[in-house]
Amino acid sequence: METARGSAPPPPARIAVVDDDRVTREYVAGLLRGHGYRVIAVDGAQKLLDLHRQGQVDLVLLDVMMEGLSGVDCCRILKSTTPPEIFVPVILVTGRTDPESRIEGLRIGADDYVTKPFDERELLARIEAMLRIKRSHDDLGAARERLQRLAVQDELTGLYNVRYLNSRLTEEYKRAERHRDPLALAMIDVDHFKQVNDRFGHEAGDAVLREVGVRLKKSVREIDVVTRYGGEEFVVLLPSTHLAGALVVADRVARTLRDEPFDVAGTKIPVTASIGLALFPSRGVHSKEELLRSADRALYRAKDEGRDRICVYQEQGYLFAPGKTG
């Protein structure tokens, strides 16, 4: 398989050779090792299942007739317990040549069937064919996972995006209503960010936004939701948080941004932020949309008051600006 220019080739596939006959097992293992594969030779089906649970196998070459748990039963267990997003090809090996045996093996989930005595070239060709299918399956799974991640992740900062915020805000607001639990929302805007772009360039601006994301995540709890709202704006959702706790978090965020200048390619860039807070329950906040709008109003009041400060949206639309933190 071709690899991207400059990238390391993938490691050799890990093949489990399962046969209770030592001579056959060692012969097949030696053949595969000679063609560059990493081989794990085991003498029983149960040992294979243990290896598979640990994620140590890419393909299985499984003898059908073994003492104890047979290859057919082992294949059935392996296939039935493997999550659908994971594909581990199983090639059954047997001395029986009748069509019924092959049909039985394929019916219970085997991916291919090889009869003894087998031709070495045929065995290697079947293994490589199964590994090509596995690579295609894995590549497709990785692409699907990346698309799913991008659907809820901001590409620049790695934080959650607005789509995810809307989903979580709906969930957390309903939960807060149902359990009469407090919910706080902080809207954060990097002060004078356009000047950073104009003076240091957009690459430096992107680096600043990434570092803001890193510092925000370090300033909050694991259950808090940190999102990039757009441009230089961020939103932090704080479940089960009263006003006092929300102010503590907002002050921590302001300090972690202000106290240590951002190092971008050897240039020290000072960064501050304006923060608007809104809370539920409170007068004037009767929906998740009003919670978000209230934080936005408080944020703009903080900017109007001179930036680098925290404002709280209070009941009856009153905005309280405590002034600069620190």
Side-chain angles (χ1 to χ4, degrees):
M1 183 176 64
E2 293 185 1
T3 58
R5 183 176 299 177
S7 63
R14 301 165 297 180
I15 300 178
V17 176
V18 189
D19 199 316
D20 57 1
D21 180 75
R22 183 180 61 82
V23 174
T24 302
R25 186 173 67 249
E26 291 183 355
Y27 162 68
V28 175
L31 171 66
L32 298 181
R33 289 190 182 106
H35 283 79
Y37 295 111
R38 292 180 291 171
V39 179
I40 307 171
V42 295
D43 59 5
Q46 189 57 55
K47 292 180 180 179
L48 166 67
L49 294 175
D50 293 339
L51 289 170
H52 174 59
R53 278 192 291 269
Q54 297 167 19
Q56 298 185 20
V57 178
D58 296 315
L59 180 144
V60 177
L61 202 59
L62 180 61
D63 189 53
V64 170
M65 304 298 293
M66 293 187 293
E67 292 185 6
L69 187 65
S70 72
V72 171
D73 289 336
C74 176
C75 179
R76 184 184 294 110
I77 295 171
L78 187 149
K79 289 294 186 178
S80 65
T81 57
T82 301
E85 66 272 13
I86 298 175
F87 176 53
V88 177
V90 176
I91 301 177
L92 293 180
V93 182
T94 182
R96 298 171 62 182
T97 60
D98 56 290
E100 289 76 16
S101 297
R102 297 184 182 184
I103 292 171
E104 180 189 9
L106 296 173
R107 183 177 293 139
I108 56 94
D111 300 286
D112 206 349
Y113 208 97
V114 177
T115 57
K116 299 177 183 178
F118 49 77
D119 182 86
E120 291 183 2
R121 293 172 301 173
E122 179 187 3
L123 177 64
L124 291 168
R126 289 180 181 274
I127 288 174
E128 183 54 38
M130 283 294 105
L131 288 174
R132 282 198 300 271
I133 294 173
K134 174 175 174 57
R135 286 193 290 268
S136 296
H137 181 279
D138 292 348
D139 289 345
L140 182 61
R144 186 184 302 113
E145 182 180 340
R146 182 173 182 273
L147 287 173
Q148 290 173 343
R149 186 173 64 251
L150 288 176
V152 298
Q153 186 181 62
D154 174 63
E155 195 166 5
L156 176 64
T157 63
L159 301 175
Y160 290 119
N161 60 17
V162 174
R163 176 182 295 182
Y164 183 81
L165 171 65
N166 289 334
S167 174
R168 281 298 301 275
L169 180 55
T170 298
E171 294 174 5
E172 293 297 338
Y173 191 87
K174 287 181 178 178
R175 186 188 61 80
E177 275 190 316
R178 184 167 59 251
H179 299 290
R180 300 180 182 276
D181 203 28
L183 176 64
L185 188 147
M187 188 168 285
I188 302 158
D189 183 88
V190 179
D191 294 330
H192 305 295
F193 183 71
K194 185 177 182 299
Q195 295 179 13
V196 175
N197 280 333
D198 292 345
R199 181 179 177 186
F200 302 103
H202 288 279
E203 288 188 5
D206 288 348
V208 166
L209 293 177
R210 283 192 291 268
E211 179 62 18
V212 169
V214 171
R215 297 193 188 188
L216 287 180
K217 290 189 72 173
K218 289 181 178 179
S219 300
V220 301
R221 305 165 300 178
E222 189 174 344
I223 66 168
D224 299 329
V225 181
V226 183
T227 61
R228 185 184 178 200
Y229 196 60
E232 65 270 25
E233 285 190 344
F234 299 80
V235 169
V236 180
L237 194 59
L238 303 165
S240 303
T241 304
H242 292 282
L243 172 60
L247 283 170
V248 169
V249 172
D251 182 62
R252 188 187 305 132
V253 166
R255 290 176 184 275
T256 195
L257 296 180
R258 185 197 315 113
D259 289 355
E260 184 179 348
F262 286 39
D263 189 341
V264 179
T267 300
K268 299 293 185 180
I269 301 177
V271 173
T272 62
S274 302
I275 303 174
L277 284 176
L279 301 120
F280 173 84
S282 65
R283 291 185 183 178
V285 176
H286 303 100
S287 68
K288 62 185 179 65
E289 291 81 11
E290 288 178 347
L291 181 67
L292 196 58
R293 282 197 298 268
S294 298
D296 188 51
R297 291 171 187 164
L299 169 64
Y300 275 91
R301 179 61 180 269
K303 294 166 71 173
D304 288 343
E305 291 290 327
R307 294 182 169 84
D308 189 17
R309 65 193 62 229
I310 302 163
C311 283
V312 182
Y313 183 85
Q314 295 284 44
E315 58 188 43
Q316 298 179 342
Y318 176 73
L319 290 160
F320 171 69
K324 270 194 179 183
T325 59

